[in-house]
Every structure is written in structure tokens, then in C-alpha cells.
């Protein structure tokens, strides 16, 4: 749910299309798609199944937020899903920093 100021300001500066449902859905699909790609790459190199556990939890929260909860709770569930996506990326980064193979790729 957008704040009233945002609802007023975006159309005035020509960005009213960002308030649409389709833009929100595209952003969700893009974020999840990038996370799947990144964490799949991380799994191929590190073989840590926890990456997929975190990714699955993020999917569940985002799906529930989008299709199963009342609108007033949607932002809470979406935020939890986003935090889990971030946690997956941070775990993947930590694994890369500890991995000799990943260090060779950086050089």
C-alpha cells in the first residue's frame, strides 16, 4: 500500500505508472529471478543446500503476501520475503569470501 504523498507525487512527476499492479509484479518476478540465478550459481560452487532453504522461505513469504493475506498485512510478508532474499545473498557472499575457487575468479 503506497503512502498518500507517494500517490500524489508520482503522477505529478510523470511516474504514476510505478503505482500499478503490473509494475509491482514485474519487480517481484525480477527480484526472485535474480535471486534464483545467483543462489543457483552459489550452490553449484559451494554445495550448501541452505541457500535453497532460504530461497524457498522467501518464495513462501512473497507468495503468501501476494495471494493469501489481507492487504493490510501484505507489506509485512513481502518485507519478510525480501529480508530472506537478502539473507540468501549474504550467505552466498560469505561462502564466496571463504572459498579459494571464488577468490581465483576475482583475480
Amino acid at each position: 500500500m503506497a503512502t498518500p504523498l507517494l500517490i500524489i507525487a508520482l503522477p505529478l512527476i510523470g511516474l504514476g505508472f510505478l503505482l500499478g499492479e503490473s509494475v509491482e509484479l514485474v519487480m517481484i518476478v525480477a527480484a526472485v529471478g535474480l535471486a534464483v540465478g545467483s543462489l543457483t550459481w552459489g550452490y553449484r560452487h559451494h554445495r550448501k543446500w541452505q541457500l535453497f532453504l532460504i530461497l524457498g522461505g522467501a518464495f513462501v513469504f512473497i507468495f503468501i503476501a501476494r495471494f493469501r493475506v489481507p492487504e493490510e498485512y501484505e507489506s509485512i510478508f513481502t518485507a519478510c520475503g525480501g529480508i530472506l532474499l537478502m539473507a540468501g545473498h549474504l550467505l552466498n557472499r560469505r561462502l564466496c569470501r571463504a572459498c579459494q575457487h571464488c577468490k581465483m575468479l576475482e583475480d
Side-chain angles (χ1 to χ4, degrees):
M1 182 165 66
T3 63
L5 181 60
L6 190 61
I7 292 172
I8 294 168
L10 286 178
L12 290 175
I13 57 175
L15 298 175
F17 69 93
L18 292 176
L19 295 173
E21 290 279 324
S22 59
V23 173
E24 179 184 3
L25 189 58
V26 167
M27 294 293 208
I28 290 171
V29 168
V32 169
L34 288 172
V36 167
S38 174
L39 297 181
T40 300
W41 179 87
Y43 177 78
R44 283 183 36 219
H45 287 281
H46 309 298
R47 300 286 182 215
K48 297 290 184 185
W49 59 270
Q50 292 89 346
L51 292 170
F52 287 119
L53 187 65
I54 293 171
L55 185 61
F59 284 159
V60 167
F61 271 104
I62 291 171
F63 177 82
I64 289 172
R66 189 78 180 135
F67 300 110
R68 299 286 181 203
V69 298
E71 191 174 331
E72 62 265 13
Y73 301 115
E74 182 180 351
S75 60
I76 295 169
F77 279 83
T78 303
C80 290
I83 289 169
L84 281 174
L85 285 178
M86 181 185 67
H89 287 299
L90 290 174
L91 175 60
N92 195 30
R93 183 174 183 211
R94 174 187 262 176
L95 292 170
C96 283
R97 287 184 171 207
C99 174
Q100 294 300 320
H101 181 262
C102 291
K103 286 183 181 177
M104 287 189 308
L105 292 175
E106 287 180 0
D107 295 334

